[in-house]
């Protein structure tokens, strides 16, 4: 194999969709006001104790104008259209128009933890109620994890590699890391990377609840009267994740191609670290999380003391948050008390395979605005007294390097260091 080109890799554009807003601008406006986007689920019936989620507001694929009625009927896994929309909007944000030179050199890597589970549910219902011949012939394409990237390629015309990194809740960071490596080595010049998740169906909501991963909103819980308070990472009364849908796509580009195309960078992918736990299918493992964080810092060729902010995985689970803080203490030592920590899931919930991609975008935006983003709903935990969790509202905090953590079921970890421009 040819030697890698060792090119620098930059983020040049992006867009997101979250329960705070269907685009970057609307999400950001509510995020910096300290709002959370949770409510009781409107689309289905679940246990009354497990019905607080993060639904996409104002999401209507028909309004995109890309598809006719037949397309909308056949492609009934929402992550397909959401991926296509975010890819198009991210390229617009970058100011990049793909052409005959860039199309063959553009890759697309979009992860999803649960793929087209909404389409699978429709197929099950049709089979049970209408018979086997009413199962859609589009079912298998809808649940193939690479199809959203493939459909984006059909819409936009790029013909570089497409793949869906399957790394559970770390999928978004794996997509960013793999795309960055491909560009660095010379396999492509542009990569659309990230994650998209549309998982709010009753079986998934109830499955997470029955494994005690999501919060049980009992009458005595503060989220019972105010669902916006359901996700509270690192808080003394944290009780579980809030399941949410959403997506994030970033446009990565090789440094030597940006000037040729007149594109300006927003951030640089400086370091990537990834490990697996070999420990437990859901519980995090400090030893290998520490290695992932340390590898990202080593790959960035910086010292832990250079990190200016940490975008935590911060799921709002008792065990997960504790293990993450213990891992950060091991890497950063006494210096940790001086590094602001933000947990975006307190406002947008846990979007599973999309989480890390959305959080990368929010972390870059915060860095560009000289802000440390908040962890809303936070009531300090005495066990984390040495940790600077940013509460309530953003804090002015100029910095040019941040660490973004992502850990997933199955024991998969991926951490990335981003550098500001």
């Amino acid at each position: 194999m040819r030697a890698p080109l060792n090119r620098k890799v930059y983020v040049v554009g992006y867009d997101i969709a979250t329960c705070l807003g269907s685009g970057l601008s609307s999400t950001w406006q509510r995020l910096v006001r300290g709002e959370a986007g949770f409510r009781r689920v409107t689309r289905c019936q679940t246990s009354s104790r497990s019905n607080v989620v993060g639904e996409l507001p104002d999401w209507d694929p028909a309004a995109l104008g890309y598809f006719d009625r037949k397309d909308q009927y056949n492609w009934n896994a929402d992550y397909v259209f959401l991926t296509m929309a975010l890819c198009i909007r991210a390229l617009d944000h970058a100011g990049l128009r793909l052409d005959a030179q860039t199309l063959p050199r553009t890759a697309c890597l979009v992860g999803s933890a649960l793929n087209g589970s909404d389409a699978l549910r429709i197929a099950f219902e049709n089979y049970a109620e209408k018979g086997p011949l009413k199962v859609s012939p589009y079912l298998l394409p809808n649940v193939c994890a690479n199809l959203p990237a493939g459909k984006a390629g059909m819409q936009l015309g790029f013909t570089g590699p497409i793949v869906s990194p399957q790394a559970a809740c770390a999928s978004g960071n794996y997509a960013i890391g793999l795309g960055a490596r491909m560009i660095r080595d010379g396999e492509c010049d542009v990569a659309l990377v990230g994650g998209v998740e549309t998982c709010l169906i009753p079986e998934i909501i109830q499955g997470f609840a029955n494994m005690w991963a999501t919060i049980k909103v009992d009458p005595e819980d503060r989220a019972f009267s105010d669902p916006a308070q359901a996700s509270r990472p690192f808080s003394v009364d944290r009780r579980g994740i809030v399941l949410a849908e959403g997506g994030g796509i970033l446009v990565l580009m090789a440094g030597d191609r940006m000037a040729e195309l007149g594109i300006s960078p927003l951030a640089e992918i400086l370091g990537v670290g990834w490990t697996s736990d070999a420990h437990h299918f859901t519980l995090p493992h400090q030893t290998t999380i520490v290695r992932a964080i340390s590898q990202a810092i080593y790959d960035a060729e910086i010292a832990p003391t250079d990190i200016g902010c940490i975008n935590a995985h911060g799921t709002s689970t008792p065990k997960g948050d504790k293990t993450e803080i213990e891992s950060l203490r091991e890497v950063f030592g006494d210096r940790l008390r001086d590094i602001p920590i933000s947990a975006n899931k307190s406002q947008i919930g846990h979007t599973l395979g999309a989480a890390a991609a959305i959080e990368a975008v929010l972390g870059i935006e915060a860095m560009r605005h000289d802000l440390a983003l908040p962890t809303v709903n936070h009531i300090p935990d005495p066990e984390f007294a040495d940790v600077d969790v940013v509460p309530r509202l953003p804090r002015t905090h100029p910095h040019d390097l941040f660490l973004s953590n992502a850990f997933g079921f199955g024991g998969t970890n991926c951490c990335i260091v981003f550098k500001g421009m």
Side-chain angles (χ1 to χ4, degrees), residues 115 138 141-142 146 152 211 228 232 234 253 282 294 336 366 389:
N115 308 325
Y138 280 75
N142 269 288
N146 64 295
M211 70 185 298
R232 40 205 193 234
F234 309 117
M253 182 176 286
T282 58
S294 300
L336 182 62
V389 176

Side-chain angles (χ1 to χ4, degrees), residues 146-160:
N146 64 295
L147 250 295
K151 284 285 284 180
M154 296 171 203
Q155 184 76 21
L156 293 163
F158 57 79
T159 56

Side-chain angles (χ1 to χ4, degrees), residues 266-393:
L266 303 174
E268 182 181 354
I269 309 294
L270 205 62
V272 180
W274 29 35
T275 63
S276 60
D277 290 345
H279 173 65
H280 190 273
F281 69 101
T282 58
L283 296 178
H285 188 47
Q286 182 176 338
T287 302
T288 40
I289 288 174
V290 167
R291 275 181 46 217
I293 296 170
S294 300
Q295 284 178 10
I297 292 170
Y298 174 81
D299 191 44
E301 298 184 305
I302 60 172
T305 52
D306 296 320
I307 295 293
C309 204
I310 295 170
N311 194 310
H313 187 58
T315 57
S316 190
T317 60
K319 177 66 174 177
D321 289 2
K322 179 179 171 65
T323 301
E324 184 169 12
I325 293 298
E326 289 174 344
S327 299
L328 292 171
R329 284 173 177 148
E330 186 171 341
V331 173
F332 293 97
D334 292 340
R335 166 82 169 94
L336 182 62
R337 68 177 65 249
D338 301 321
I339 306 175
I341 295 177
S342 304
N344 301 143
K345 292 180 182 71
S346 65
Q347 297 179 268
I348 61 172
H350 198 338
T351 54
L352 307 181
I358 296 170
E359 290 162 11
V361 171
L362 296 177
I364 294 170
E365 282 291 293
M367 187 164 56
R368 288 170 55 78
H369 287 84
D370 291 334
L371 295 175
L373 294 176
T375 300
V376 304
N377 304 320
H378 184 249
I379 297 175
D381 185 338
E383 192 172 6
F384 304 150
D386 61 326
V387 176
D388 182 14
V389 176
V390 181
R392 295 183 298 280
L393 293 170

Side-chain angles (χ1 to χ4, degrees), residues 40-280:
R40 288 182 171 81
V41 64
T42 64
R43 302 177 195 163
C44 59
Q45 293 293 319
T46 65
S47 161
S48 61
R49 298 180 70 210
S50 308
N51 62 2
V52 174
V53 298
E55 295 180 335
L56 282 181
D58 308 320
W59 169 243
D60 179 14
L64 298 173
Y66 311 151
F67 325 103
D68 58 25
R69 187 173 298 177
K70 181 179 179 182
D71 269 335
Q72 293 170 47
Y73 178 80
N74 288 329
W75 295 99
N76 54 13
D78 282 344
Y79 77 149
V80 174
F81 290 150
L82 186 55
T83 298
M84 297 169 72
L86 288 171
C87 285
I88 291 168
R89 285 161 28 187
L91 286 168
D92 286 343
H93 184 246
L96 178 60
R97 298 292 177 266
L98 299 178
D99 57 22
Q101 283 69 48
T102 51
L103 286 168
R105 301 282 298 166
T106 296
C108 189
L109 299 87
V110 182
S112 180
L114 297 175
N115 308 325
S117 53
D118 43 355
L120 188 61
R121 184 173 202 276
I122 292 170
F124 285 158
E125 288 179 339
N126 286 341
Y127 186 95
E129 296 172 7
K130 302 176 183 178
L133 296 182
K134 293 301 181 180
V135 174
S136 171
Y138 280 75
L139 170 61
L140 297 182
N142 269 288
V143 299
C144 284
N146 64 295
L147 250 295
K151 284 285 284 180
M154 296 171 203
Q155 184 76 21
L156 293 163
F158 57 79
T159 56
I162 61 168
V163 68
S164 179
Q166 297 293 290
C169 304
S171 296
N173 265 3
Y174 266 88
I176 295 169
L178 290 168
R181 291 285 194 258
M182 291 169 66
I183 291 174
R184 180 199 66 179
D185 292 352
E187 300 295 333
C188 57
D189 297 329
V190 179
L192 295 159
V193 300
V196 178
E197 204 78 65
T198 54
C199 54
L200 297 183
I201 60 174
E203 292 83 359
I204 297 298
I205 296 171
Q206 204 61 55
F208 272 93
N210 290 353
M211 70 185 298
W212 291 89
T214 48
I215 184 172
K216 301 290 191 297
V217 184
D218 299 314
E220 66 273 12
D221 191 274
R222 55 180 163 131
F224 188 80
S225 57
D226 182 9
Q229 297 191 50
S231 182
R232 40 205 193 234
F234 309 117
S235 182
V236 68
D237 64 343
R238 63 193 185 277
R239 296 183 62 198
I241 72 174
V242 173
L243 193 63
E245 58 189 355
I249 298 293
L250 300 86
V251 183
L252 308 186
M253 182 176 286
D256 57 1
R257 291 289 283 144
M258 287 192 311
E260 298 172 22
L261 298 172
I263 302 296
S264 299
L266 303 174
E268 182 181 354
I269 309 294
L270 205 62
V272 180
W274 29 35
T275 63
S276 60
D277 290 345
H279 173 65
H280 190 273

